[in-house]
Amino acid sequence: MNPWVSVAKERQRQEEKWGQQDHEPMMWMGILGEEFGELCQAVNETHFDNGPEARKKGGYENMREEAVQVAAVAISFIEALDRRYGRDDE
Ligand SMILES: [Mg+2]
């Protein structure tokens, strides 16, 4: 699937699950940090051999899924920033 489509679908899924999110920027760092941590885990479990159970959290599919989630959360953060600070000039 085209990466942009993957991110758009994930962004839509998040919107349906949680609705509009207007957190403080510091809260966004926690949310984005968690997603980035999950991406790090997927990459680590691809790179390192921590046994067969840990390996299930790695690999192409998991790395891609987590990267898409990071991108979708970043977009949601941008949307919240634009609402908060009025930047909507494009
Ligand atoms: Mg994730």
Side-chain angles (χ1 to χ4, degrees):
M1 183 183 295
N2 179 301
W4 293 100
V5 173
S6 298
V7 173
K9 285 187 171 186
E10 172 60 19
R11 183 66 200 90
Q12 180 66 33
R13 187 191 71 80
Q14 293 173 355
E15 191 75 18
E16 290 169 2
K17 185 171 182 179
W18 292 296
Q20 180 174 305
Q21 298 293 299
D22 287 310
H23 305 300
E24 295 287 330
M26 286 299 290
M27 177 74 83
W28 279 108
M29 293 304 94
I31 297 167
L32 190 56
E34 179 184 309
E35 291 300 338
F36 177 66
E38 291 171 354
L39 174 57
C40 290
Q41 182 181 38
V43 172
N44 285 343
E45 298 308 348
T46 302
H47 182 78
F48 299 109
D49 185 1
N50 291 318
E53 280 304 309
R55 185 67 87 181
K56 292 177 185 173
K57 297 176 181 173
Y60 165 71
E61 293 290 338
N62 286 321
M63 289 190 291
R64 190 182 194 283
E65 181 177 330
E66 296 300 345
V68 165
Q69 290 174 4
V70 167
V73 168
I75 288 171
S76 185
F77 177 41
I78 294 166
E79 291 171 351
L81 285 174
D82 288 349
R83 282 190 298 272
R84 187 183 191 94
Y85 298 103
R87 177 89 190 254
D88 188 20
D89 57 0
E90 295 184 57

